[in-house]
């Protein structure tokens, strides 16, 4: 299954579990071996592979043990500086600030 914007959370979790299981079998490792490598219980590994909700730190440990932690770099790449940012600001943006309200500007609910 391809994970898309329209995939439900449970579908995504199930698909991640399926992919982790395929990767574990390709290595090859048993659930018991993977549990030892990650200091997690075999039950936690089984839960992940069966599509049950587990913590993100569990997924990180499993990916690390399977040699796939770099996959997170693809999933959430570091944001580079856009040329337009340099031209507009002269430096990379560090945080977003709310726009200041112009004095005298009317907003709904301000009427008295």
């Amino acid at each position: 299954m391809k994970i898309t914007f329209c995939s439900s959370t449970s579908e995504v979790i199930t698909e991640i579990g399926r992919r982790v299981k395929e990767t574990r079998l390709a290595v090859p490792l048993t659930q018991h071996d993977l549990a030892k490598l990650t200091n997690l219980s075999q039950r936690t590994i089984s839960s992940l592979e069966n599509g049950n909700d587990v913590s993100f730190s569990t997924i990180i440990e499993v990916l690390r043990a399977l040699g796939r932690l770099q996959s997170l770099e693809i999933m959430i790449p570091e944001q580079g500086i856009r040329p337009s940012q340099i031209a507009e600001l002269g430096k990379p943006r560090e945080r977003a600030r709310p726009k200041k309200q112009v004095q005298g500007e009317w907003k709904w609910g301000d009427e008295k």
Side-chain angles (χ1 to χ4, degrees):
M1 170 188 138
K2 186 171 181 139
I3 298 172
T4 66
F5 179 78
C6 296
S7 301
S8 70
T9 301
S10 63
E11 289 172 333
V12 173
I13 292 169
T14 300
E15 183 60 18
I16 289 171
R18 187 187 67 73
R19 291 181 189 187
V20 165
K21 182 176 183 178
E22 284 181 358
T23 304
R24 176 184 59 80
L25 293 172
V27 168
L29 289 171
T30 64
Q31 285 183 346
H32 181 73
D33 294 337
L34 185 56
K36 278 182 166 178
L37 286 171
T38 58
N39 291 321
L40 298 168
S41 69
Q42 185 174 346
R43 186 177 196 169
T44 300
I45 302 298
S46 178
S47 290
L48 169 61
E49 291 182 357
N50 288 321
N52 296 320
D53 203 353
V54 297
S55 71
F56 193 65
S57 60
T58 297
I59 295 170
I60 290 171
E61 289 304 316
V62 169
L63 291 175
R64 179 179 285 121
L66 294 173
R68 298 294 174 98
L69 189 58
Q70 72 279 6
S71 298
L72 291 179
E73 185 66 31
I74 296 166
M75 183 175 78
I76 307 171
E78 189 173 344
Q79 294 299 308
I81 302 168
R82 295 186 316 256
S84 62
Q85 278 182 313
I86 296 171
E88 290 173 7
L89 304 173
K91 63 179 184 174
R93 192 171 189 168
E94 294 177 6
R95 63 181 156 198
R97 294 185 181 157
K99 294 185 178 184
K100 293 180 182 177
Q101 183 177 357
V102 178
Q103 194 165 10
E105 183 179 325
W106 182 83
K107 291 173 67 178
W108 286 102
D110 286 346
E111 65 275 346
K112 293 191 183 197

